[in-house]
Amino acid sequence: MRAARLIKMVLLLQSRPAMTAAELARELEVSERTVTRDAQALSEAGVPVYAERGRAGGYRLVGGYRTRLTGLARGEAEALFLSGVPGALREMGLEDAASAARLKVSAALLPSLRDASRTAAQRFHLDAPSWFREPETPELLPAVADAVWDDRPVTARYRRGDEEVVRELEPYGLVLKAGVWYLCARVPDGDSFRVYRIDRFTAVEPGAGRFARDGEFDLPAFWAERAEQFARSILRAEVVVRLSARGVWALPDVVDALSAREALAAAGTPDSDGWVTVRMPVESEEVAHAQLRGLGPEVEVLSPPALRERFAQDARRLARLYPESPG
């Protein structure tokens, strides 16, 4: 346990000019007193850890000291090779750079671990695109990816409905969602972050210089928040339905995840027949009709009346198609 912590401490100091005892304690999840003892132990083992006293002091490595990657366990090495998504890297034009990086890491590993890339690839594979749709790589994705990596502003032409608009953007990050590429970018004038589908870009021109990146920007957190906002923004209607036990179980498979989650979280207790009544946010009556039909006889629509009548008409049509057999 301590050996792993000492290795992590060296790697942290190797990746930064200096760190305070408080910063190291937070990263290592130990007390500052433990950090002091660990630094002394590293120094006694020959690792040149230097402690500077005072308010601006901290710990740093002396003389450009670098450790080798021979401390990796097999599980750690295999996880390292899982960090890249080959298809996505290829689409962004980064396949050669990623391949070179993997070769350098492989060369630094112990001989017994050099098959880590192969063993990881044979056990885990990420297939990002959704089913039943052939993925298409946006033509301008490599240009956008270059701007993201270089913190370079761009002038982008973008299809919005039937018109085309021009935007000055500071590209912060790329997201691959169900086979569709999105750009998260800041609009310099309004200083706000927005999301753009890259397949709607018609032209991308890199600007001069580089923009000052907001160090507080968190791409995963931003995307999660915007995805939640989008999911809520389209749920403009509400339906009330009764669900059998099987209907409750199957509901998340036929409606939007947010709709199902909110409906089931507020569900009451089952009635004497074992059915529960729920209020569910939906995109529209038409969408609710198309989705809830997937539950068949495991759902009864109570309101709105127009939607209930749609299901009644469906039931009458089904009855005509499947009349009861005599006897």
Side-chain angles (χ1 to χ4, degrees), residues 92 141 144-145 148-149 172-176 181-184 198 219:
M92 288 188 290
L141 176 60
V144 176
V148 169
W149 283 113
Y172 265 66
L174 293 169
V175 175
L176 177 60
W181 284 95
Y182 296 88
L183 171 67
C184 301
I198 295 180
L219 180 59

Side-chain angles (χ1 to χ4, degrees), residues 184-302:
C184 301
R186 181 167 63 181
V187 181
D189 293 341
D191 202 33
S192 61
F193 289 92
R194 300 179 185 177
V195 177
Y196 300 87
R197 278 185 60 145
I198 295 180
D199 58 7
R200 293 179 183 169
F201 284 128
T202 59
V204 173
E205 292 292 336
R210 289 176 170 80
F211 62 87
R213 192 178 181 90
D214 183 353
E216 299 297 318
F217 180 77
D218 184 330
L219 180 59
F222 170 79
W223 178 258
E225 180 183 355
R226 285 304 174 90
E228 179 84 2
Q229 289 176 357
F230 173 76
R232 290 187 181 280
S233 69
I234 63 174
L235 300 179
R236 302 186 180 93
E238 183 182 79
V239 300
V240 180
V241 300
R242 289 179 70 236
L243 297 167
S244 68
R246 181 173 293 183
V248 169
W249 176 80
L251 186 66
D253 294 330
V254 299
V255 302
D256 299 326
L258 182 61
S259 296
R261 186 168 67 246
E262 294 195 352
L264 296 179
T269 57
D271 59 21
S272 58
D273 296 325
W275 289 50
V276 296
T277 299
V278 300
R279 291 183 174 274
M280 186 171 65
V282 295
E283 184 175 346
S284 66
E285 183 179 310
E286 290 74 16
V287 171
H289 181 229
Q291 292 177 335
L292 292 173
R293 280 189 302 185
L295 294 178
E298 309 304 328
V299 61
E300 178 191 3
V301 175
L302 301 181

Side-chain angles (χ1 to χ4, degrees), residues 87-101:
L89 292 171
R90 183 172 56 253
E91 292 179 5
M92 288 188 290
L94 299 173
E95 185 176 27
D96 290 343
S99 177

Side-chain angles (χ1 to χ4, degrees), residues 72-82 102 105-106 109-124:
L72 285 176
R74 169 165 292 277
E76 294 169 332
E78 291 175 343
L80 178 64
F81 285 103
L82 284 174
R102 286 192 294 268
V105 173
S106 294
L109 292 172
L110 291 172
S112 61
L113 297 180
R114 287 178 185 165
D115 65 340
S117 62
R118 182 183 61 81
T119 57
Q122 293 304 316
R123 287 167 173 78
F124 302 98

Side-chain angles (χ1 to χ4, degrees), residues 2-16 24 35-51 59-68 70:
R2 191 190 185 197
R5 190 176 70 240
L6 292 174
I7 292 173
K8 184 176 180 180
M9 183 174 180
V10 173
L11 292 174
L12 285 168
L13 292 173
Q14 185 174 295
S15 64
R16 308 179 193 181
L24 284 168
V35 168
T36 301
R37 289 198 296 265
D38 285 352
Q40 183 177 352
L42 288 171
S43 181
E44 293 172 353
V47 179
V49 179
Y50 177 71
Y59 294 92
R60 62 183 177 87
L61 294 175
V62 179
Y65 176 86
R66 309 289 293 179
T67 184
R68 295 183 180 271
T70 52

